[in-house]
Amino acid sequence: MGTIAGVLLVAVWIGWIVILITLYHKIFNVVYFSLMDGLLKELVVSALIGSVLTVLTVQFWWAVLILVVIAIVIKTKS
């Protein structure tokens, strides 16, 4: 794997992590009794799920493009 491909994979992975954490906080009201433990668990779970989604994104890149186009069309209509 080339350097550019590795950088792109890391960027997609970080993008998924940000999206997952954002969605999690939009869906649930989160209260931390221990801030460090809560944030660490949240980051680890988001990183694991983000890894799976990154692999799926690379394997099914054509489906991701179709979903992005559909999302843009829906967003512009509303």
Side-chain angles (χ1 to χ4, degrees), residues 8-78:
L8 288 175
L9 279 177
V10 170
V12 170
W13 180 61
I14 290 172
W16 275 121
I17 291 173
V18 170
I19 290 169
L20 288 169
I21 290 174
T22 304
L23 286 174
Y24 179 70
H25 283 277
K26 285 199 179 281
I27 294 172
F28 300 107
N29 290 327
V30 181
V31 176
Y32 295 112
F33 295 106
S34 174
L35 183 63
M36 288 304 295
D37 288 339
L39 288 177
L40 184 62
K41 288 178 186 176
E42 193 174 307
L43 282 174
V44 168
V45 170
S46 294
L48 290 174
I49 296 172
S51 299
V52 172
L53 290 175
T54 301
V55 170
L56 291 174
T57 301
V58 170
Q59 291 292 321
F60 302 107
W61 59 268
W62 49 270
V64 173
L65 288 178
I66 292 170
L67 290 173
V68 167
V69 169
I70 291 171
I72 290 171
V73 168
I74 290 173
K75 185 71 173 173
T76 56
K77 286 187 177 184
S78 62

